[in-house]
Amino acid sequence: MHVAAEEIRARAAVLIDHHARGAWQPDDADRGTAVALFRFLETGLPLSGEQIRAALAESGPMAADGAGLPALLRDTAGLLDDPDVADGPAGRDAVDHVCLLLDALALARPDGR
């Protein structure tokens, strides 16, 4: 069972806002995962659930609370595994928001600016 695209979009929007206001500082694993996925996106290939899971596996074990960027990316991978949902307007909007978040994290300096 996957998380609704609208929920993924909303969670990505919240993290974008919190990061922009400095209310959330990603840790090294979050930043490393974002950079790995950002570099993949720069190739021009579409993001896939498999690509997200590979980046998450390289970043190490996920926090026990199941929140934050790893949980959002895990849910996004599930969404991308369902092409009918991922290719719909809500799915594309959700993935676009996740990609915006990845861009912001990958391009930010380690001190959060």
Side-chain angles (χ1 to χ4, degrees), residues 7-18:
E7 183 180 336
I8 291 170
R9 181 204 175 281
R11 288 169 41 204
V14 166
L15 286 178
I16 290 167
D17 180 61
H18 287 186

Side-chain angles (χ1 to χ4, degrees), residues 15-106:
L15 286 178
I16 290 167
D17 180 61
H18 287 186
H19 182 257
R21 291 185 298 125
W24 172 62
Q25 293 296 321
D27 62 22
D28 289 340
D30 289 340
R31 213 174 348 275
T33 302
V35 168
L37 290 171
F38 177 78
R39 287 189 180 138
F40 176 79
L41 289 170
E42 284 185 314
T43 68
L45 296 172
L47 195 58
S48 69
E50 182 179 327
Q51 184 63 38
I52 291 172
R53 282 186 286 279
L56 286 169
E58 288 180 22
S59 71
M62 190 165 58
D65 64 1
L69 184 64
L72 175 66
L73 290 175
R74 185 189 67 237
D75 292 342
T76 303
L79 177 117
L80 289 168
D81 288 340
D82 185 345
D84 292 334
V85 176
D87 291 338
R92 286 192 309 270
D93 191 38
V95 173
D96 286 347
H97 273 74
V98 170
C99 289
L100 288 171
L101 175 61
L102 294 171
D103 291 352
L105 296 180

